[in-house]
Amino acid sequence: MSSTQPTICILTAAYNEGESLAFFYETVKKVTDTLPYSFSFCFVNDGSKDNTLDIIRRIASENEAVKYLSFSKNFGQQVALKAGIDATHTDAIIMMDSDLQHSPDLIPELISVWQTKNVNMVNTLREEDEELGWFKKTSSAAFYKILNRVSDLQLEPGQADFRLIDRKVAQTLRESKEHDVFLRGMIYWIGYDHATVRYKAQKRFAGTSKYTFSKMMGLALAGITSFSVKPLYSAIYIGFTFAFLSFLYLPYVLYSYFTGSTVSGWSSVLITIAFFGGLNLIIMGVLGIYIGKILIQNKQRPLYIVQEQKL
């Protein structure tokens, strides 16, 4: 940490957050203005289709401590946060959602833990919300359970991208050239000294969640395939298992051959062929995901494209 007054940046990725962004900024600034640190803000407009960029421009024009990046299209929240980290060089970065589910009142505690415990990052752990819908609870629990089982990660349910990272962690993340960005996994993989603060998520100020079921599945696949080759081993194990089971069918075939008995109809054969054909497609799909990731990584296309910025 710096021996002088620490500089801290509030980083948020915004996608169609025109309804809440101005209120988010005002609410957070009320908190940061009471603290004895040098704060700045970094907004990343992730290809929004509403007036998000206009609001960011207005805020930035009124405050020199506000900078922003605006993407040419939607690249996703994880990439947007990575872009903000790439562009920020303060003593610490606090990542927050702009819908105010991540309470600004927790900012002083994050900073206090960072300084008193002398850690490199302070993660947050969301306590279970009793009002949360059944589907959201179930899908979130399944997300972490599957991710931990089939990857080399061990993430606690409730972890989110609401955290404080210091300059050392930020520099390590900048050096990463991975195409599939999964910050929760990367933070776990980095290691370093860390602490955890529990919090209760607030109600969303406006709008709806941008994380649909398909996006959650995509995030899970990114985490699994970026940090583990266990699915490849699983495909091999499944292949050997069914190859062994197929030999168990051999005595019946020999018995039918020597006794002259035949099986009437072709449905059983068709079902067997369809089953093993589907199994082969699953295994090929697993292989295809890894090969596709290699192809995309080797193309070395930029992770994101900035169309407009104020830094």
Side-chain angles (χ1 to χ4, degrees), residues 31-273:
V31 175
T32 58
D33 284 347
T34 65
L35 299 174
Y37 308 102
S38 177
F39 281 96
S40 61
F41 289 79
C42 180
F43 294 98
V44 183
N45 175 41
D46 189 19
S48 299
K49 303 299 183 184
D50 62 358
N51 63 337
T52 295
L53 180 57
D54 292 332
I55 294 173
I56 293 174
R57 286 175 181 145
R58 177 178 60 78
I59 294 172
S61 67
E62 296 171 354
N63 187 347
E64 285 298 320
V66 176
K67 59 185 178 182
Y68 70 86
L69 304 171
S70 182
F71 288 168
S72 61
K73 61 170 227 176
N74 179 246
F75 285 94
Q77 183 209 28
Q78 299 292 294
V79 174
L81 291 175
K82 173 67 163 60
I85 293 170
D86 291 345
T88 303
H89 299 273
T90 52
D91 292 317
I93 300 172
I94 298 178
M95 292 178 269
M96 302 179 65
D97 287 349
S98 57
D99 56 15
L100 290 173
Q101 285 194 302
H102 297 161
S103 175
D105 292 334
L106 206 62
I107 291 175
E109 184 175 355
L110 294 177
I111 299 172
S112 175
V113 172
W114 169 53
Q115 291 188 313
T116 57
K117 293 191 176 182
N118 197 30
V119 292
N120 299 108
M121 66 184 94
V122 184
N123 298 315
T124 62
L125 195 64
R126 185 183 65 248
E127 295 179 353
E128 186 172 316
D129 186 358
E130 297 299 329
E131 297 181 4
L132 204 63
W134 174 87
F135 176 77
K136 184 66 176 176
K137 286 182 181 179
T138 305
S139 61
S140 179
F143 171 81
Y144 286 102
K145 188 173 183 179
I146 294 172
L147 188 64
N148 290 340
R149 184 174 292 272
V150 298
S151 74
D152 295 327
L153 302 174
Q154 291 300 317
L155 303 180
E156 289 188 74
Q159 285 192 19
D161 293 315
F162 180 25
R163 64 172 59 85
L164 179 150
I165 61 174
D166 72 358
R167 187 184 294 273
K168 187 175 182 180
V169 178
Q171 181 58 34
T172 303
L173 290 173
R174 286 188 206 103
E175 293 170 358
S176 171
K177 304 301 179 184
E178 289 187 31
H179 187 273
D180 277 345
V181 180
F182 181 53
L183 285 175
R184 294 172 217 181
M186 293 171 75
I187 291 292
Y188 177 88
W189 175 82
I190 285 173
Y192 289 143
D193 295 328
H194 64 276
T196 301
V197 171
R198 291 184 174 272
Y199 78 102
K200 197 158 195 174
Q202 306 299 306
K203 288 188 177 181
R204 187 183 303 276
F205 175 75
T208 58
S209 174
K210 307 304 186 296
Y211 265 108
T212 61
F213 179 75
S214 60
K215 286 188 176 181
M216 285 290 288
M217 288 298 295
L219 193 64
L221 281 174
I224 291 167
T225 55
S226 295
F227 292 91
S228 176
V229 293
K230 285 183 180 179
L232 294 175
Y233 286 100
S234 298
I236 295 173
Y237 296 149
I238 292 172
F240 274 117
T241 300
F242 281 97
F244 173 75
L245 292 176
S246 67
F247 281 107
L248 299 180
Y249 193 64
L250 184 60
Y252 173 75
V253 174
L254 294 175
Y255 173 79
S256 300
Y257 176 77
F258 287 112
T259 60
S261 60
T262 57
V263 178
S264 59
W266 47 268
S267 57
S268 59
V269 176
L270 185 62
I271 290 173
T272 303
I273 293 173

Side-chain angles (χ1 to χ4, degrees), residues 8-27:
I8 302 170
C9 178
I10 305 295
L11 168 62
T12 187
Y15 176 63
N16 294 340
E17 297 288 355
E19 294 179 273
S20 62
L21 202 59
F23 187 72
F24 163 81
Y25 169 71
E26 292 168 3
T27 305

